[in-house]
Amino acid sequence: MTEKCAWCESEKIKKGADDVYWELPDGTRAIKISEVPTIICVNCEMKYQTDLLVKEIEDQLFLINTNEIGPETSFENLMAQPRLLKRNYFDFTS
């Protein structure tokens, strides 16, 4: 089964990286995250992150000390931050 664009269902997609802006879980501010793995649709030109990656970013932001992150960070640096908890104990979806 080939991957399709989540927006237009075209099979003409490629993987890349892009900058995104993310609101912190406490709502105090947003940060820029650079070089985030991104799906790019050649057909409709939509750029987006997979649901799984969005959950990984959300969990990481919930589990780290966000006061130690400046207004901008790379995806690699964000995911390498030490966690205060092993996992998100407040996520009841799994």
Side-chain angles (χ1 to χ4, degrees):
M1 182 178 194
T2 58
E3 291 184 62
K4 294 183 180 181
C5 173
W7 299 92
C8 73
E9 298 187 357
S10 170
E11 293 180 4
K12 296 179 181 179
I13 60 172
K14 59 184 181 178
K15 295 181 181 185
D18 203 9
D19 298 342
V20 299
Y21 293 86
W22 219 280
E23 184 177 354
L24 297 181
D26 63 6
T28 57
R29 63 189 172 107
I31 60 170
K32 178 180 178 181
I33 309 171
S34 61
E35 297 297 313
V36 177
T38 300
I39 303 293
I40 303 163
C41 179
V42 176
N43 186 53
C44 71
E45 300 180 358
M46 182 60 81
K47 296 178 181 179
Y48 62 95
Q49 289 69 45
T50 63
D51 291 341
L52 179 60
L53 185 65
V54 169
K55 182 171 178 2
E56 287 177 29
I57 292 171
E58 291 283 336
D59 282 348
Q60 184 69 352
L61 287 170
F62 189 74
L63 297 172
I64 64 173
N65 182 356
T66 56
N67 293 326
E68 295 183 10
I69 298 176
E72 184 174 336
T73 189
S74 69
F75 174 76
E76 186 176 314
N77 183 53
L78 173 68
M79 299 312 282
Q81 293 294 310
R83 292 181 168 193
L84 301 174
L85 299 170
K86 291 182 182 180
R87 67 180 188 90
N88 184 351
Y89 294 100
F90 301 101
D91 179 6
F92 301 109
T93 60
S94 50

Coordinates of all heavy atoms in Angstrom, one line a residue:
M1 N 0.8 -1.2 0.0 CA 0.0 0.0 0.0 C 0.9 1.2 0.0 O 1.8 1.4 0.8 CB -0.9 0.0 1.2 CG -1.8 1.1 1.3 SD -2.8 0.8 2.8 CE -4.1 2.0 2.5
T2 N 0.7 2.1 -0.9 CA 1.5 3.3 -1.0 C 0.9 4.4 -0.2 O -0.3 4.5 0.0 CB 1.6 3.8 -2.5 OG1 0.2 4.0 -3.0 CG2 2.3 2.8 -3.4
E3 N 1.7 5.3 0.3 CA 1.3 6.4 1.1 C 0.6 7.5 0.2 O 1.0 7.6 -1.0 CB 2.4 7.1 1.8 CG 3.1 6.2 2.9 CD 4.2 7.0 3.6 OE1 3.8 8.0 4.2 OE2 5.3 6.5 3.6
K4 N -0.4 8.1 0.8 CA -1.1 9.2 0.0 C -1.2 10.4 0.8 O -1.1 10.4 2.1 CB -2.6 8.7 -0.2 CG -2.7 7.5 -1.2 CD -4.1 7.2 -1.4 CE -4.2 6.0 -2.4 NZ -5.6 5.7 -2.7
C5 N -1.3 11.5 0.2 CA -1.5 12.8 0.8 C -2.8 12.8 1.7 O -3.8 12.4 1.2 CB -1.6 13.9 -0.2 SG -2.0 15.6 0.5
A6 N -2.6 13.3 2.9 CA -3.8 13.3 3.8 C -4.8 14.3 3.4 O -6.0 14.3 3.8 CB -3.3 13.6 5.2
W7 N -4.5 15.2 2.5 CA -5.4 16.3 2.1 C -6.1 16.0 0.8 O -7.3 16.1 0.6 CB -4.7 17.6 2.0 CG -4.1 18.0 3.3 CD1 -2.9 17.7 3.8 CD2 -4.8 18.6 4.4 NE1 -2.7 18.1 5.1 CE2 -3.9 18.7 5.5 CE3 -6.1 19.2 4.5 CZ2 -4.3 19.3 6.7 CZ3 -6.4 19.8 5.7 CH2 -5.5 19.8 6.8
C8 N -5.3 15.6 -0.3 CA -5.9 15.4 -1.6 C -5.8 14.0 -2.1 O -6.3 13.6 -3.2 CB -5.2 16.3 -2.6 SG -3.5 15.8 -3.1
E9 N -5.2 13.1 -1.3 CA -5.0 11.7 -1.5 C -4.2 11.3 -2.7 O -4.2 10.2 -3.3 CB -6.4 11.0 -1.6 CG -7.2 11.1 -0.3 CD -8.5 10.3 -0.4 OE1 -8.8 9.7 -1.4 OE2 -9.1 10.3 0.7
S10 N -3.4 12.3 -3.2 CA -2.4 12.0 -4.3 C -1.3 11.1 -3.8 O -0.9 11.2 -2.6 CB -1.8 13.4 -4.7 OG -0.7 13.1 -5.6
E11 N -0.8 10.3 -4.6 CA 0.3 9.4 -4.3 C 1.7 10.1 -4.5 O 2.7 9.6 -4.3 CB 0.3 8.1 -5.0 CG -0.9 7.3 -4.6 CD -1.0 6.0 -5.4 OE1 -0.1 5.6 -6.2 OE2 -2.0 5.2 -5.1
K12 N 1.6 11.4 -5.0 CA 2.8 12.1 -5.3 C 3.3 12.9 -4.1 O 3.1 14.1 -4.0 CB 2.6 13.1 -6.5 CG 2.3 12.3 -7.8 CD 2.0 13.3 -8.9 CE 1.6 12.5 -10.2 NZ 1.4 13.5 -11.3
I13 N 3.8 12.2 -3.1 CA 4.3 12.9 -1.9 C 5.8 12.6 -1.8 O 6.3 11.6 -2.3 CB 3.5 12.4 -0.7 CG1 3.6 10.9 -0.5 CG2 2.1 12.9 -0.8 CD1 3.0 10.5 0.9
K14 N 6.4 13.4 -1.0 CA 7.8 13.2 -0.7 C 8.1 13.6 0.7 O 7.3 14.3 1.3 CB 8.8 14.0 -1.6 CG 8.6 15.5 -1.6 CD 9.4 16.2 -2.7 CE 9.2 17.7 -2.6 NZ 10.1 18.4 -3.6
K15 N 9.2 13.1 1.3 CA 9.5 13.4 2.7 C 10.5 14.6 2.7 O 11.4 14.6 1.8 CB 10.0 12.2 3.4 CG 8.9 11.2 3.5 CD 9.4 9.9 4.3 CE 8.2 9.0 4.3 NZ 8.5 7.8 5.1
G16 N 10.4 15.5 3.6 CA 11.3 16.6 3.7 C 11.4 17.0 5.2 O 11.1 16.3 6.1
A17 N 11.8 18.3 5.3 CA 11.8 18.9 6.7 C 11.3 20.3 6.5 O 11.5 21.0 5.5 CB 13.2 18.9 7.2
D18 N 10.7 20.8 7.6 CA 10.2 22.2 7.5 C 10.2 22.8 9.0 O 10.3 22.0 9.9 CB 8.7 22.2 7.0 CG 8.3 23.5 6.4 OD1 9.2 24.4 6.3 OD2 7.1 23.7 6.1
D19 N 10.0 24.1 9.0 CA 9.9 24.8 10.3 C 8.5 24.8 10.7 O 7.6 25.1 9.8 CB 10.5 26.2 10.2 CG 12.0 26.2 9.9 OD1 12.6 25.2 10.1 OD2 12.5 27.2 9.5
V20 N 8.2 24.6 12.0 CA 6.8 24.7 12.5 C 6.8 25.6 13.8 O 7.8 25.7 14.4 CB 6.2 23.3 12.8 CG1 6.1 22.5 11.5 CG2 6.9 22.6 13.9
Y21 N 5.6 26.1 14.1 CA 5.4 26.8 15.3 C 4.5 26.0 16.2 O 3.5 25.6 15.7 CB 4.9 28.2 15.0 CG 5.9 29.1 14.3 CD1 6.0 29.0 12.9 CD2 6.8 29.9 15.0 CE1 7.0 29.7 12.2 CE2 7.8 30.6 14.3 CZ 7.8 30.5 12.9 OH 8.8 31.2 12.2
W22 N 4.8 25.9 17.5 CA 4.1 25.0 18.4 C 3.8 25.7 19.7 O 4.7 26.3 20.3 CB 4.9 23.8 18.7 CG 4.1 22.5 18.7 CD1 3.4 22.1 19.8 CD2 4.0 21.6 17.7 NE1 2.8 20.9 19.4 CE2 3.2 20.6 18.2 CE3 4.5 21.4 16.4 CZ2 2.8 19.4 17.4 CZ3 4.2 20.3 15.7 CH2 3.3 19.3 16.2
E23 N 2.5 25.7 20.1 CA 2.2 26.2 21.4 C 2.6 25.2 22.5 O 2.3 24.0 22.3 CB 0.7 26.5 21.4 CG 0.3 27.2 22.7 CD -1.2 27.5 22.7 OE1 -1.9 27.3 21.7 OE2 -1.7 27.9 23.8
L24 N 3.2 25.7 23.5 CA 3.6 24.9 24.6 C 2.3 24.4 25.4 O 1.3 25.1 25.3 CB 4.5 25.6 25.6 CG 5.8 26.0 25.0 CD1 6.7 26.8 26.1 CD2 6.6 24.9 24.4
P25 N 2.4 23.2 26.0 CA 1.2 22.7 26.7 C 0.6 23.6 27.7 O -0.6 23.5 27.9 CB 1.8 21.4 27.3 CG 2.9 21.0 26.5 CD 3.5 22.3 26.1
D26 N 1.4 24.4 28.4 CA 0.8 25.3 29.4 C 0.2 26.6 28.8 O -0.4 27.4 29.5 CB 1.9 25.7 30.4 CG 3.1 26.4 29.9 OD1 3.1 26.8 28.7 OD2 4.0 26.7 30.7
G27 N 0.4 26.8 27.5 CA -0.3 27.9 26.8 C 0.4 29.2 26.9 O -0.1 30.2 26.5
T28 N 1.6 29.2 27.6 CA 2.3 30.5 27.9 C 3.0 31.1 26.6 O 3.1 32.3 26.6 CB 3.4 30.3 29.0 OG1 4.3 29.3 28.5 CG2 2.7 29.9 30.3
R29 N 3.4 30.3 25.7 CA 4.0 30.9 24.5 C 4.1 29.8 23.4 O 3.8 28.6 23.7 CB 5.5 31.3 24.9 CG 6.4 30.2 25.4 CD 7.7 30.8 25.9 NE 8.5 29.7 26.5 CZ 9.5 29.2 26.0 NH1 10.0 29.6 24.9 NH2 10.2 28.2 26.7
A30 N 4.6 30.2 22.3 CA 4.8 29.3 21.2 C 6.3 29.3 20.9 O 7.0 30.3 21.1 CB 4.0 29.7 19.9
I31 N 6.8 28.2 20.3 CA 8.2 28.1 19.9 C 8.3 27.7 18.5 O 7.4 27.1 17.9 CB 9.0 27.1 20.8 CG1 8.4 25.7 20.7 CG2 9.0 27.6 22.3 CD1 9.2 24.6 21.4
K32 N 9.4 28.1 17.9 CA 9.7 27.6 16.5 C 10.5 26.4 16.6 O 11.5 26.3 17.3 CB 10.4 28.7 15.7 CG 10.8 28.3 14.3 CD 11.6 29.4 13.6 CE 12.0 29.0 12.2 NZ 12.7 30.1 11.6
I33 N 10.1 25.3 15.9 CA 10.9 24.1 15.9 C 11.3 23.9 14.4 O 10.5 23.8 13.5 CB 10.0 22.8 16.3 CG1 9.4 23.1 17.7 CG2 10.9 21.6 16.4 CD1 8.4 22.0 18.1
S34 N 12.6 23.9 14.2 CA 13.2 23.8 12.9 C 13.5 22.3 12.5 O 13.7 21.5 13.3 CB 14.4 24.6 12.7 OG 15.4 24.2 13.6
E35 N 13.5 22.1 11.2 CA 13.9 20.8 10.6 C 13.0 19.6 11.1 O 13.5 18.5 11.4 CB 15.4 20.5 10.9 CG 16.3 21.5 10.2 CD 16.2 21.5 8.7 OE1 16.2 20.4 8.1 OE2 16.2 22.5 8.1
V36 N 11.7 19.9 11.2 CA 10.8 18.8 11.6 C 10.4 18.0 10.4 O 10.2 18.5 9.3 CB 9.5 19.5 12.1 CG1 8.4 18.4 12.5 CG2 9.8 20.4 13.3
P37 N 10.5 16.6 10.6 CA 10.2 15.7 9.4 C 8.8 16.1 8.9 O 7.8 16.2 9.7 CB 10.2 14.4 10.1 CG 11.2 14.5 11.2 CD 11.0 15.9 11.7
T38 N 8.7 16.2 7.6 CA 7.4 16.8 7.0 C 7.1 16.0 5.8 O 8.0 15.6 5.0 CB 7.7 18.2 6.6 OG1 8.0 19.0 7.8 CG2 6.4 18.9 6.0
I39 N 5.8 15.8 5.5 CA 5.3 15.2 4.3 C 5.0 16.4 3.4 O 4.3 17.3 3.8 CB 4.1 14.3 4.5 CG1 4.3 13.2 5.5 CG2 3.5 13.8 3.2 CD1 5.3 12.2 5.1
I40 N 5.5 16.3 2.1 CA 5.2 17.4 1.2 C 4.5 16.8 0.0 O 5.0 15.8 -0.6 CB 6.5 18.0 0.7 CG1 7.3 18.5 1.9 CG2 6.3 19.1 -0.3 CD1 8.7 18.8 1.7
C41 N 3.3 17.3 -0.3 CA 2.5 16.8 -1.5 C 2.9 17.6 -2.7 O 2.8 18.8 -2.7 CB 1.0 16.9 -1.2 SG 0.0 16.3 -2.6
V42 N 3.3 16.9 -3.7 CA 3.7 17.5 -5.0 C 2.5 18.1 -5.7 O 2.5 19.1 -6.4 CB 4.5 16.6 -5.9 CG1 4.8 17.2 -7.2 CG2 5.8 16.1 -5.2
N43 N 1.3 17.4 -5.5 CA 0.1 17.7 -6.2 C -0.6 19.0 -5.6 O -0.8 20.0 -6.3 CB -0.9 16.5 -6.1 CG -2.1 16.8 -6.9 OD1 -2.0 17.1 -8.1 ND2 -3.3 16.6 -6.3
C44 N -0.9 19.0 -4.3 CA -1.6 20.2 -3.7 C -0.7 21.1 -3.0 O -1.1 22.1 -2.5 CB -2.7 19.7 -2.9 SG -2.2 18.9 -1.3
E45 N 0.6 20.7 -2.9 CA 1.6 21.6 -2.2 C 1.4 21.7 -0.7 O 2.0 22.6 -0.1 CB 1.8 22.9 -2.9 CG 2.2 22.8 -4.3 CD 2.3 24.2 -5.0 OE1 2.1 25.2 -4.4 OE2 2.7 24.2 -6.2
M46 N 0.6 20.9 -0.1 CA 0.4 20.9 1.3 C 1.6 20.3 2.0 O 2.2 19.3 1.5 CB -0.8 20.1 1.7 CG -1.2 20.1 3.2 SD -1.5 21.7 3.9 CE -3.1 22.0 3.4
K47 N 2.0 20.9 3.1 CA 3.1 20.4 4.0 C 2.5 20.1 5.3 O 1.8 20.9 5.9 CB 4.2 21.4 4.1 CG 4.9 21.8 2.8 CD 5.9 22.9 3.1 CE 6.6 23.3 1.8 NZ 7.6 24.3 2.1
Y48 N 2.8 18.9 5.8 CA 2.2 18.5 7.1 C 3.0 17.4 7.8 O 3.9 16.8 7.2 CB 0.7 18.0 6.9 CG 0.6 16.8 6.1 CD1 0.5 15.5 6.6 CD2 0.5 16.9 4.7 CE1 0.4 14.4 5.9 CE2 0.4 15.8 3.9 CZ 0.3 14.5 4.5 OH 0.2 13.4 3.7
Q49 N 2.8 17.2 9.1 CA 3.4 16.2 9.9 C 2.4 15.1 10.1 O 1.2 15.4 10.2 CB 3.9 16.7 11.2 CG 5.1 17.7 11.1 CD 4.7 19.0 10.5 OE1 3.7 19.6 10.8 NE2 5.6 19.5 9.6
T50 N 2.9 13.9 10.2 CA 2.0 12.7 10.4 C 1.4 12.8 11.8 O 1.9 13.5 12.7 CB 2.7 11.4 10.3 OG1 3.7 11.3 11.3 CG2 3.4 11.2 8.9
D51 N 0.2 12.2 12.0 CA -0.4 12.2 13.3 C 0.5 11.6 14.4 O 0.6 12.1 15.5 CB -1.7 11.4 13.3 CG -2.8 12.1 12.5 OD1 -2.7 13.3 12.3 OD2 -3.8 11.4 12.1
L52 N 1.3 10.6 14.0 CA 2.2 9.9 15.0 C 3.3 10.9 15.4 O 3.6 11.0 16.6 CB 2.8 8.7 14.3 CG 3.8 7.9 15.2 CD1 3.2 7.4 16.5 CD2 4.4 6.8 14.4
L53 N 3.8 11.7 14.5 CA 4.9 12.6 14.8 C 4.3 13.8 15.7 O 4.9 14.2 16.6 CB 5.5 13.2 13.5 CG 6.7 14.1 13.8 CD1 7.8 13.4 14.4 CD2 7.1 14.8 12.5
V54 N 3.1 14.2 15.4 CA 2.5 15.3 16.2 C 2.3 14.8 17.6 O 2.6 15.5 18.5 CB 1.1 15.6 15.6 CG1 0.3 16.5 16.6 CG2 1.3 16.4 14.2
K55 N 1.9 13.5 17.8 CA 1.8 13.0 19.1 C 3.1 12.9 19.8 O 3.2 13.2 21.0 CB 1.1 11.6 19.1 CG 0.9 11.0 20.5 CD 0.1 9.8 20.5 CE -0.1 9.1 21.8 NZ 0.5 9.7 23.0
E56 N 4.2 12.5 19.1 CA 5.5 12.4 19.7 C 6.0 13.8 20.2 O 6.5 14.0 21.3 CB 6.5 11.9 18.7 CG 6.4 10.4 18.4 CD 7.3 9.9 17.3 OE1 8.4 10.5 17.2 OE2 7.0 8.9 16.6
I57 N 5.8 14.8 19.4 CA 6.1 16.2 19.7 C 5.3 16.7 20.9 O 5.9 17.2 21.9 CB 6.0 17.2 18.6 CG1 7.0 16.8 17.4 CG2 6.1 18.6 19.0 CD1 6.8 17.6 16.1
E58 N 4.0 16.4 20.9 CA 3.2 16.8 22.0 C 3.6 16.2 23.3 O 3.7 16.8 24.4 CB 1.7 16.5 21.7 CG 1.1 17.3 20.6 CD 0.7 18.7 21.1 OE1 0.5 18.9 22.3 OE2 0.6 19.6 20.2
D59 N 3.8 14.9 23.3 CA 4.3 14.1 24.4 C 5.6 14.7 25.0 O 5.8 14.9 26.2 CB 4.4 12.6 24.1 CG 3.1 11.9 24.1 OD1 2.1 12.5 24.5 OD2 3.0 10.7 23.7
Q60 N 6.5 14.9 24.1 CA 7.9 15.4 24.5 C 7.7 16.8 25.2 O 8.3 17.0 26.2 CB 8.8 15.5 23.3 CG 10.2 15.9 23.6 CD 11.0 14.9 24.4 OE1 10.5 13.9 24.9 NE2 12.3 15.2 24.6
L61 N 6.9 17.7 24.6 CA 6.7 19.0 25.2 C 6.1 18.9 26.6 O 6.3 19.7 27.5 CB 5.9 19.9 24.3 CG 6.7 20.4 23.1 CD1 5.7 21.1 22.1 CD2 7.8 21.3 23.4
F62 N 5.2 17.9 26.7 CA 4.5 17.7 28.0 C 5.5 17.1 29.1 O 5.3 17.4 30.3 CB 3.3 16.7 27.8 CG 2.4 16.6 29.0 CD1 1.6 17.6 29.3 CD2 2.5 15.5 29.8 CE1 0.7 17.5 30.5 CE2 1.6 15.3 30.9 CZ 0.8 16.4 31.2
L63 N 6.5 16.4 28.6 CA 7.3 15.6 29.6 C 8.7 16.3 29.9 O 9.4 15.7 30.7 CB 7.6 14.2 29.0 CG 6.4 13.3 28.8 CD1 6.7 12.1 28.1 CD2 5.7 13.0 30.2
I64 N 9.0 17.4 29.3 CA 10.3 18.1 29.5 C 10.0 19.4 30.2 O 8.9 19.9 30.3 CB 11.1 18.3 28.2 CG1 10.3 19.2 27.3 CG2 11.3 17.0 27.5 CD1 11.1 19.7 26.1
N65 N 11.1 20.0 30.7 CA 11.1 21.3 31.3 C 11.1 22.3 30.2 O 12.2 22.6 29.7 CB 12.2 21.5 32.3 CG 12.2 22.8 33.0 OD1 11.3 23.7 32.7 ND2 13.1 23.0 33.9
T66 N 10.0 22.8 29.8 CA 10.0 23.7 28.6 C 10.6 25.1 29.0 O 10.9 25.9 28.0 CB 8.5 23.9 28.1 OG1 7.7 24.4 29.2 CG2 8.0 22.6 27.6
N67 N 10.8 25.4 30.2 CA 11.5 26.6 30.6 C 12.9 26.7 30.1 O 13.5 27.7 30.0 CB 11.5 26.9 32.1 CG 10.1 27.1 32.6 OD1 9.2 27.7 31.9 ND2 9.8 26.7 33.8
E68 N 13.5 25.5 29.8 CA 14.9 25.4 29.3 C 15.0 25.5 27.8 O 16.1 25.5 27.3 CB 15.5 24.1 29.8 CG 15.6 24.1 31.3 CD 16.3 22.8 31.8 OE1 16.9 22.1 31.0 OE2 16.3 22.6 33.1
I69 N 13.8 25.7 27.1 CA 13.8 25.8 25.7 C 13.6 27.3 25.4 O 12.7 28.0 25.9 CB 12.7 25.0 25.0 CG1 12.9 23.5 25.3 CG2 12.6 25.3 23.6 CD1 11.8 22.7 24.8
G70 N 14.5 27.8 24.5 CA 14.3 29.2 24.1 C 13.2 29.4 23.1 O 12.4 28.5 22.9
P71 N 13.1 30.5 22.4 CA 12.0 30.7 21.5 C 12.1 29.9 20.2 O 11.2 29.8 19.4 CB 12.1 32.2 21.1 CG 13.5 32.6 21.5 CD 13.9 31.7 22.6
E72 N 13.3 29.3 20.0 CA 13.5 28.4 18.8 C 14.4 27.3 19.2 O 15.4 27.4 19.9 CB 14.2 29.3 17.7 CG 14.4 28.6 16.4 CD 14.9 29.5 15.3 OE1 14.7 30.7 15.4 OE2 15.5 28.9 14.4
T73 N 14.1 26.1 18.6 CA 15.0 24.9 18.8 C 14.8 24.0 17.6 O 13.9 24.2 16.8 CB 14.5 24.1 20.1 OG1 15.5 23.1 20.3 CG2 13.2 23.5 19.9
S74 N 15.7 23.1 17.4 CA 15.6 22.1 16.3 C 14.8 20.9 16.8 O 14.7 20.7 18.0 CB 17.0 21.7 15.8 OG 17.6 20.9 16.8
F75 N 14.2 20.2 15.8 CA 13.5 19.0 16.2 C 14.4 18.0 16.9 O 14.0 17.4 17.9 CB 12.9 18.4 14.9 CG 12.3 17.0 15.1 CD1 11.0 17.0 15.7 CD2 12.9 15.9 14.8 CE1 10.4 15.7 16.0 CE2 12.3 14.6 15.0 CZ 11.1 14.6 15.6
E76 N 15.6 17.9 16.4 CA 16.6 16.9 17.0 C 16.9 17.3 18.4 O 16.9 16.5 19.3 CB 17.9 16.9 16.2 CG 18.9 15.9 16.6 CD 20.1 15.9 15.7 OE1 19.9 15.9 14.5 OE2 21.2 15.8 16.2
N77 N 17.1 18.6 18.7 CA 17.4 19.1 20.0 C 16.2 18.9 20.9 O 16.4 18.5 22.1 CB 17.8 20.6 20.0 CG 18.2 21.1 21.3 OD1 19.0 20.5 22.0 ND2 17.6 22.2 21.8
L78 N 15.0 19.2 20.4 CA 13.8 19.0 21.2 C 13.6 17.6 21.7 O 13.4 17.3 22.9 CB 12.6 19.5 20.5 CG 11.2 19.2 21.1 CD1 11.0 20.1 22.4 CD2 10.1 19.4 20.2
M79 N 13.8 16.7 20.8 CA 13.6 15.3 21.1 C 14.7 14.7 22.0 O 14.5 13.7 22.6 CB 13.4 14.4 19.8 CG 12.2 14.9 19.0 SD 10.7 15.1 19.9 CE 10.2 13.4 20.0
A80 N 15.8 15.4 22.1 CA 17.0 14.9 22.9 C 16.9 15.5 24.3 O 17.7 15.1 25.2 CB 18.3 15.4 22.2
Q81 N 15.9 16.4 24.6 CA 15.8 17.0 25.9 C 15.5 15.9 27.0 O 14.7 15.0 26.7 CB 14.7 18.0 26.0 CG 15.0 19.3 25.1 CD 16.2 20.0 25.7 OE1 16.2 20.3 26.9 NE2 17.1 20.3 24.8
P82 N 16.1 15.9 28.1 CA 15.8 14.9 29.2 C 14.3 15.1 29.7 O 13.8 16.2 29.9 CB 16.8 15.2 30.3 CG 17.3 16.6 30.0 CD 17.1 16.9 28.6
R83 N 13.7 13.9 29.8 CA 12.3 13.9 30.3 C 12.2 13.9 31.8 O 13.0 13.3 32.5 CB 11.6 12.7 29.7 CG 11.4 12.7 28.2 CD 10.7 11.5 27.7 NE 10.2 11.7 26.4 CZ 9.4 11.0 25.7 NH1 8.9 9.9 26.3 NH2 9.0 11.2 24.5
L84 N 11.2 14.6 32.3 CA 11.0 14.6 33.8 C 10.2 13.3 34.2 O 10.3 12.9 35.3 CB 10.2 15.8 34.2 CG 10.8 17.2 33.8 CD1 9.9 18.3 34.1 CD2 12.1 17.3 34.6
L85 N 9.4 12.8 33.3 CA 8.7 11.5 33.5 C 9.1 10.5 32.3 O 9.5 11.0 31.3 CB 7.2 11.7 33.4 CG 6.6 12.7 34.5 CD1 5.2 13.0 34.2 CD2 6.7 12.0 35.9
K86 N 8.9 9.3 32.6 CA 9.2 8.3 31.5 C 8.2 8.3 30.4 O 8.6 8.1 29.2 CB 9.2 6.9 32.1 CG 10.4 6.6 33.1 CD 10.3 5.2 33.6 CE 11.5 5.0 34.5 NZ 11.5 3.6 35.1
R87 N 7.0 8.6 30.7 CA 6.0 8.6 29.6 C 4.8 9.6 30.1 O 4.8 10.0 31.2 CB 5.4 7.2 29.3 CG 4.6 6.6 30.4 CD 4.1 5.2 30.0 NE 3.2 4.6 30.9 CZ 1.9 4.8 30.9 NH1 1.4 5.5 30.0 NH2 1.2 4.2 31.9
N88 N 3.9 9.8 29.2 CA 2.8 10.7 29.5 C 1.7 9.9 30.2 O 0.9 9.2 29.5 CB 2.3 11.3 28.2 CG 1.1 12.3 28.4 OD1 0.6 12.4 29.6 ND2 0.7 13.0 27.4
Y89 N 1.7 9.9 31.5 CA 0.7 9.1 32.3 C -0.7 9.7 32.2 O -1.6 9.1 32.7 CB 1.2 9.1 33.7 CG 2.5 8.3 33.9 CD1 3.7 9.0 34.0 CD2 2.5 6.9 33.9 CE1 4.9 8.3 34.2 CE2 3.7 6.2 34.0 CZ 4.8 6.9 34.2 OH 6.0 6.2 34.3
F90 N -0.9 10.8 31.5 CA -2.2 11.4 31.4 C -2.8 11.1 30.0 O -3.9 11.6 29.7 CB -2.1 12.9 31.6 CG -1.6 13.2 33.0 CD1 -0.3 13.6 33.1 CD2 -2.4 13.1 34.1 CE1 0.2 13.9 34.4 CE2 -1.9 13.4 35.4 CZ -0.6 13.8 35.5
D91 N -2.1 10.4 29.2 CA -2.6 10.0 27.9 C -3.3 8.6 28.0 O -2.6 7.6 28.2 CB -1.5 9.9 26.8 CG -1.9 9.5 25.5 OD1 -3.1 9.4 25.2 OD2 -1.0 9.3 24.6
F92 N -4.6 8.6 27.9 CA -5.4 7.4 28.0 C -5.8 6.8 26.7 O -6.7 5.9 26.6 CB -6.6 7.7 28.9 CG -6.2 8.2 30.3 CD1 -6.5 9.5 30.6 CD2 -5.6 7.4 31.2 CE1 -6.1 10.0 31.8 CE2 -5.2 7.9 32.5 CZ -5.5 9.2 32.8
T93 N -5.2 7.3 25.6 CA -5.6 6.8 24.3 C -5.0 5.4 23.9 O -5.4 4.8 23.0 CB -5.2 7.8 23.2 OG1 -3.8 8.0 23.2 CG2 -5.9 9.1 23.4
S94 N -3.9 5.1 24.6 CA -3.2 3.8 24.2 C -3.4 2.7 25.3 O -3.9 2.9 26.4 CB -1.8 4.0 23.9 OG -1.1 4.7 25.0

